[in-house]
Amino acid sequence: MNTEDIQARMASLAADLNRHNHLYYVLNKPEISDYEFDQLLKELEKLEEEYPQFADVNSPTSRVGGDITNKFEKVKHARPMLSLTNTYNEEEISEWVERVVKAAGKPVTYALELKYDGVAISIFYENGKFIRAVTRGDGETGEDVSANVRTIRSVPLTLHGDYPESFEIRGEIFLPRDVFDALNREREESGEELYANPRNTAAGTLKQQDSGEVAKRKLDCYLYFILSDKHSFRRHTEGIHQAASWGFKVPSEKEQMISHATDVKEIMNFIHHWDKKRFGLPFDIDGVVIKVDEMDMWDELGMTAKSPRWAIAYKFKAATAATRLNKITYQVGRTGAITPVANLEPVLLAGTRVKRASLHNADQIEKLDIREGDIVFVEKGGEIIPKVTGVDMNKRELFSQPHSYITHCPECKTPLIRNEGEALHYCPNETGCPPQIIGRMDHFISRKAMNIEGLGTETITGLYRKGIISDASDLYVLKYDDLIGVEFTITDEFGENERTRTLQDKSVRNMLSGIEASRNVPFERVLFALGIRFVGETVARKLARHFRSLDKIRAATREELMAADEVGEKIADSILVWFSDERNVRMAEKLRDAGLQLESVESGESVVSDKLAEKTFVVSGVFSSFTRDGIKQSIEQNGGKVVGSISKKTSYVVAGENMGPEKRKKAEELGIPVLSEQDYINLIQ
């Protein structure tokens, strides 16, 4: 193909990918499979690597992230992002309506919306292209989180339809409940403190420095408030309809996420409807927003110092129920972390039947003075997992006794330990405690680790209890005859229901095929799969890149381990403890013998020179001799360090075509040398 054909093919691929992305993430009407989508994306990625001069900053490939930002630039809002007046009181809603009608002097129509429990965001578009995304901040000044917001699949990077030349749109970024649930399950398994709620987790995710990590979190976004000097709508709800026509994910009128009202009764009907139905949504809301729909009345109604008079928010109270705590039991995670669980008299809470709730740790039980037999208050607000928030002391039994936290593991009877400064108790019997052994193998086969198709928790548990496997390395010596016809009993998480499963021909062949394929999983994921405490996905990747083999990690001193990015004392000590156990070392050797990747495959990342040692670079724009990642790799191969934002500590900015004007301006203001691509090549030669 000639260059014109290549450029046309790249444009066609980008258009197709944007369309399919919109169909899947916004309209929920996919037309192709995930595999077909990925094949198109890989073709575009390959072309962008070969022809970076034709790459677009808003290419669909930017969805996977990869930019590193050490500091988020402060941005002053052109129009302040004010907060709304909140109320929990229906009477105050009536009073607000009376004030609005009196000021308007005529009947008023109200737009009713859900109040999303997320992070407010403002996104700017020019000529139909995503330009910048800024957080609310203090309302006057926010932070530029563009690289992270680009990874959110429901945020369009390129618009279609009759959109204004330049405008700002505001909305809410949130973390879906199922994603939040999965994150907390992973943290619970690794003995880490659970995230408090989806809103805080979404806010923390937006401030992550690595946009590649943000992409993995699967944030979502509704956008619903257009700010433009040129628009063709007079009502707020008309603006939402127009935003939808341009490609934005907006609240669904069909699903009653947005509606109209003309009086207090209709407003309260909407509020009462969602107070009951809110827990059926796949995301959290904490109330309803009522706005005057006619936008020409907004100026007339005006503002207070902190909020507009033309809108108000009604906030729901957290869903709470009272029930009897029958028994406190304990669960053991794969790291040995002990979690106390309240086994409750079943109670209906937020539309679901709740039988168990987390008690978190010994300190929480002592703080609330929780005892078996108590009538406790269970809450399900922003948190997904129900929690016990208090005790009805008026209903406590006369001879009730304080709860004594267990001193020995409920599974293997080993004395528990509690490390200084940690909230959780642990069972130290890593190699003899069944839930820990099963949990580590379950982690080993998980999607982000070895991703062994055909194997799941139930099968791992059954094979362990049958004595067929005792650690992850045993998986690689399994044969067809070892598995076919194996029968084991499966019990649900409450220990109430049992069923029997027999391994059949198809499932055995799928399992063995998945095990065989996992031999090619790269070293960084094998390292994560080993389940070393505190060595999560990101730390495993940093360790793999720093040391490049398991042998070098094993041989490293505490100080050498801490020299790797993101490795502090706690992680270094945990690695040393893991390798001090001969059983772990033997397992690692068996994995090596099985052909697993215990060192990084060379991929051109070896050191070329130290010409750029102690120099810090910012890379911006599109290059002809390098891909964007390629020039960063070249800097690191020559001893330099690449960062995401310009500061006084930056040594050079390497500027390609279409360098961001803000970055160039900042570099000039700070007196940072700006190198062209050829200047950079001369520098390393």
Side-chain angles (χ1 to χ4, degrees):
M1 288 194 293
N2 59 37
T3 55
E4 287 185 4
D5 291 338
I6 290 163
Q7 198 169 2
R9 178 57 181 161
M10 289 172 71
S12 173
L13 282 168
D16 285 348
L17 285 162
N18 282 329
R19 177 175 170 272
H20 289 301
N21 187 82
H22 180 71
L23 286 167
Y24 186 96
Y25 289 98
V26 179
L27 301 181
N28 197 25
K29 295 178 180 178
E31 290 183 353
I32 61 174
S33 68
D34 289 350
Y35 174 79
E36 290 170 305
F37 184 93
D38 289 341
Q39 293 306 111
L40 293 174
L41 190 65
K42 284 177 182 176
E43 183 184 349
L44 181 57
E45 284 175 338
K46 189 171 184 296
L47 288 170
E48 287 179 347
E49 285 179 10
E50 294 175 2
Y51 304 95
Q53 66 271 31
F54 300 140
D56 185 350
V57 69
N58 285 324
S59 164
T61 60
S62 67
R63 298 286 193 187
V64 298
D67 289 345
I68 306 295
T69 304
N70 291 331
K71 187 178 179 182
F72 295 96
E73 182 185 349
K74 299 283 186 184
V75 178
K76 188 173 177 63
H77 294 296
R79 299 177 177 92
M81 292 183 74
L82 300 177
S83 56
L84 298 179
T85 300
N86 289 328
T87 179
Y88 294 86
N89 191 314
E90 294 186 15
E91 193 175 316
E92 289 181 358
I93 294 291
S94 297
E95 291 171 355
W96 176 79
V97 167
E98 286 177 14
R99 289 196 299 272
V100 168
V101 172
K102 185 177 179 180
K106 61 180 181 179
V108 175
T109 301
Y110 305 95
L112 310 177
E113 302 172 355
L114 304 183
K115 188 175 184 297
Y116 305 94
D117 197 13
V119 182
I121 197 73
S122 181
I123 308 178
F124 297 83
Y125 288 82
E126 287 182 11
N127 299 315
K129 301 288 185 182
F130 177 105
I131 299 297
R132 174 188 280 174
V134 181
T135 61
R136 180 182 180 277
D138 62 3
E140 296 288 338
T141 302
E143 291 181 316
D144 188 331
V145 289
S146 302
N148 289 342
V149 173
R150 272 194 179 92
T151 69
I152 301 174
R153 302 277 180 164
S154 51
V155 173
L157 302 180
T158 303
L159 306 180
H160 52 253
D162 187 20
Y163 46 78
E165 183 179 330
S166 175
F167 69 96
E168 174 184 357
I169 188 167
R170 294 176 178 177
E172 201 88 5
I173 290 171
F174 58 89
L175 193 67
R177 284 180 179 164
D178 59 346
V179 178
F180 176 76
D181 252 343
L183 284 172
N184 262 350
R185 278 196 297 270
E186 289 176 12
R187 293 180 72 82
E188 189 171 25
E189 286 172 2
S190 61
E192 297 176 88
E193 187 176 349
L194 300 186
Y195 290 125
N197 54 57
R199 175 176 44 79
N200 290 357
T201 311
T205 299
L206 269 187
K207 295 297 294 289
Q208 290 246 351
Q209 295 180 345
D210 185 346
S211 62
E213 291 301 309
V214 177
K216 295 175 186 176
R217 287 285 178 89
K218 300 179 182 176
L219 292 170
D220 205 342
C221 182
Y222 277 111
L223 293 157
Y224 43 76
F225 185 25
I226 300 169
L227 292 92
S228 171
D229 293 331
K230 295 179 181 179
H231 55 73
S232 58
F233 50 90
R234 295 182 178 180
R235 292 178 177 271
H236 170 64
T237 45
E238 289 175 13
I240 293 175
H241 293 148
Q242 288 209 5
S245 73
W246 304 335
F248 291 105
K249 183 174 182 177
V250 303
S252 166
E253 199 163 355
K254 184 178 178 181
E255 295 173 13
Q256 292 185 289
M257 294 165 65
I258 184 166
S259 188
H260 290 93
T262 56
D263 57 31
V264 173
K265 183 179 178 182
E266 291 177 353
I267 291 172
M268 296 316 304
N269 285 343
F270 186 82
I271 288 172
H272 294 153
H273 171 82
W274 282 111
D275 196 5
K276 292 177 183 176
K277 299 286 186 181
R278 56 184 159 134
F279 296 104
L281 291 166
F283 49 83
D284 281 351
I285 63 172
D286 60 353
V288 164
V289 174
I290 306 106
K291 297 174 182 171
V292 173
D293 199 23
E294 294 93 337
M295 295 175 68
D296 58 357
M297 290 178 59
W298 290 5
D299 288 339
E300 189 178 333
L301 292 167
M303 318 277 288
T304 67
K306 296 181 179 179
S307 57
R309 290 193 176 93
W310 42 264
I312 191 170
Y314 180 93
K315 295 197 74 173
F316 299 134
K317 294 173 183 173
T320 304
T323 189
R324 182 176 298 279
L325 195 166
N326 292 325
K327 191 173 182 61
I328 295 174
T329 57
Y330 297 85
Q331 289 180 333
V332 185
R334 71 173 173 85
T335 61
I338 306 295
T339 304
V341 177
N343 292 268
L344 309 166
E345 195 69 34
V347 62
L348 194 64
L349 177 64
T352 56
R353 190 165 173 261
V354 174
K355 299 167 70 175
R356 306 204 303 170
S358 175
L359 293 172
H360 301 301
N361 53 55
D363 291 343
Q364 183 73 357
I365 292 173
E366 184 180 355
K367 178 184 174 183
L368 297 177
D369 188 19
I370 297 170
R371 306 179 186 186
E372 291 182 349
D374 277 345
I375 299 299
V376 295
F377 300 110
V378 186
E379 183 177 299
K380 193 175 182 182
E383 293 74 15
I384 298 302
I385 303 168
K387 63 179 181 180
V388 174
T389 57
V391 176
D392 188 342
M393 295 298 182
N394 295 323
K395 295 182 180 178
R396 172 165 283 172
E397 295 173 356
L398 182 60
F399 299 107
S400 170
Q401 295 296 313
H403 181 73
S404 296
Y405 204 85
I406 58 171
T407 57
H408 290 69
C409 176
E411 298 285 342
C412 67
K413 310 309 176 190
T414 302
L416 301 180
I417 60 172
R418 184 177 182 181
N419 298 323
E420 187 177 349
E422 293 188 7
L424 297 174
H425 286 72
Y426 290 88
C427 169
N429 184 18
E430 294 182 9
T431 55
C433 184
Q436 294 189 61
I437 298 167
I438 293 169
R440 284 196 298 276
M441 288 192 283
D442 194 36
H443 168 74
F444 184 88
I445 67 170
S446 64
R447 184 176 58 83
K448 292 184 179 180
M450 302 305 290
N451 192 25
I452 300 180
E453 296 285 343
L455 264 178
T457 305
E458 291 179 352
T459 307
I460 286 289
T461 303
L463 294 177
Y464 171 77
R465 288 180 175 160
K466 284 284 186 178
I468 296 172
I469 56 174
S470 59
D471 68 35
S473 63
D474 290 337
L475 295 170
Y476 294 91
V477 295
L478 290 174
K479 302 289 189 294
Y480 181 88
D481 290 342
D482 299 329
L483 299 169
I484 190 68
V486 170
E487 187 178 275
F488 48 84
T489 301
I490 299 165
T491 308
D492 70 12
E493 63 175 322
F494 300 110
E496 295 174 353
N497 301 303
E498 290 187 352
R499 59 187 174 88
T500 301
R501 182 185 173 196
T502 304
L503 294 180
Q504 306 289 344
D505 177 78
K506 185 177 180 181
S507 60
V508 170
R509 293 187 186 280
N510 287 342
M511 192 186 310
L512 293 173
S513 175
I515 292 169
E516 184 61 32
S518 72
R519 297 179 202 268
N520 298 316
V521 166
F523 170 50
E524 62 186 47
R525 280 173 53 195
V526 179
L527 180 58
F528 172 58
L530 293 178
I532 302 171
R533 194 175 174 208
F534 304 127
V535 177
E537 242 188 310
T538 302
V539 172
R541 185 165 61 251
K542 302 281 187 182
L543 284 166
R545 290 179 182 175
H546 186 90
F547 290 101
R548 305 195 65 77
S549 78
L550 193 69
D551 288 339
K552 289 180 180 178
I553 295 173
R554 181 186 174 188
T557 64
R558 187 173 190 259
E559 289 69 28
E560 288 169 339
L561 288 168
M562 290 170 60
D565 271 357
E566 297 195 27
V567 176
E569 294 179 2
K570 187 166 71 169
I571 295 173
D573 288 341
S574 179
I575 294 169
L576 293 171
V577 167
W578 195 88
F579 281 106
S580 70
D581 191 321
E582 281 302 315
R583 287 166 294 197
N584 291 331
V585 175
R586 281 199 302 271
M587 183 185 73
E589 288 306 314
K590 286 169 70 178
L591 292 173
R592 186 196 306 276
D593 294 341
L596 269 68
Q597 309 297 313
L598 297 188
E599 60 183 48
S600 296
V601 177
E602 292 294 334
S603 58
E605 294 183 18
S606 55
V607 173
V608 175
S609 79
D610 61 356
K611 290 179 180 179
L612 307 181
E614 299 183 6
K615 298 286 192 293
T616 302
F617 291 76
V618 170
V619 174
S620 181
V622 178
F623 303 91
S624 56
S625 301
F626 299 91
T627 64
R628 190 178 177 86
D629 286 338
I631 198 164
K632 291 178 181 179
Q633 187 182 81
S634 172
I635 291 167
E636 291 170 351
Q637 287 173 339
N638 286 280
K641 182 178 180 181
V642 181
V643 296
S645 58
I646 299 170
S647 70
K648 292 179 181 178
K649 295 181 180 179
T650 304
S651 307
Y652 298 100
V653 174
V654 185
E657 290 183 33
N658 302 321
M659 176 188 178
E662 290 295 327
K663 280 188 176 177
R664 184 177 291 278
K665 181 181 177 184
K666 189 165 186 179
E668 291 170 353
E669 288 174 353
L670 295 175
I672 309 295
V674 177
L675 306 179
S676 67
E677 186 173 2
Q678 188 57 49
D679 291 336
Y680 170 73
I681 293 170
N682 295 340
L683 188 66
I684 60 174
Q685 288 178 345

